[in-house]
Amino acid sequence: MATHILWQADVADFDAWHAVFDRDAPARKAAGLKTLHVWQDADVANHAFVLFQVLDLDRAKAFFDSEELAMHLERDGIAHIATKMLKPA
């Protein structure tokens, strides 16, 4: 069974973030990630959740640990980022 990553963060503007997120799909695919679901927090409008299926664990880890991604997130006003790797039971 597949490994998944649950990503969550505060974003400056959910709709603007989601548009950029959609445009960045090729980079995530190249990093071995498949987006399964995107959610907006029902209580906090500018809090986003994303569930990824991990297709290549080494590439996915390198992507999340990259300085390029960190700079991109900081520049776009994304804060309080948390990722959780989920493995099947």
Side-chain angles (χ1 to χ4, degrees):
M1 294 186 75
T3 297
H4 294 82
I5 292 177
L6 180 62
W7 178 95
Q8 62 177 310
D10 293 327
V11 298
D13 176 284
F14 184 87
D15 293 331
W17 166 82
H18 196 254
V20 171
F21 180 85
D22 285 346
R23 286 193 302 269
D24 287 345
R28 290 188 306 277
K29 183 177 181 181
L33 296 166
K34 178 181 179 183
T35 302
L36 298 178
H37 297 285
V38 177
W39 296 278
Q40 181 178 24
D41 191 309
D43 298 319
V44 181
N46 288 329
H47 193 81
F49 294 85
V50 182
L51 180 64
F52 297 104
Q53 180 180 357
V54 178
L55 305 174
D56 184 309
L57 186 57
D58 291 334
R59 287 191 341 220
K61 284 182 177 180
F63 175 76
F64 282 112
D65 293 340
S66 73
E67 185 175 321
E68 179 181 342
L69 179 63
M71 290 172 48
H72 176 69
L73 297 173
E74 183 178 330
R75 181 184 65 239
D76 291 338
I78 301 167
H80 305 110
I81 302 162
T83 57
K84 191 69 172 176
M85 189 171 301
L86 308 169
K87 292 186 178 185

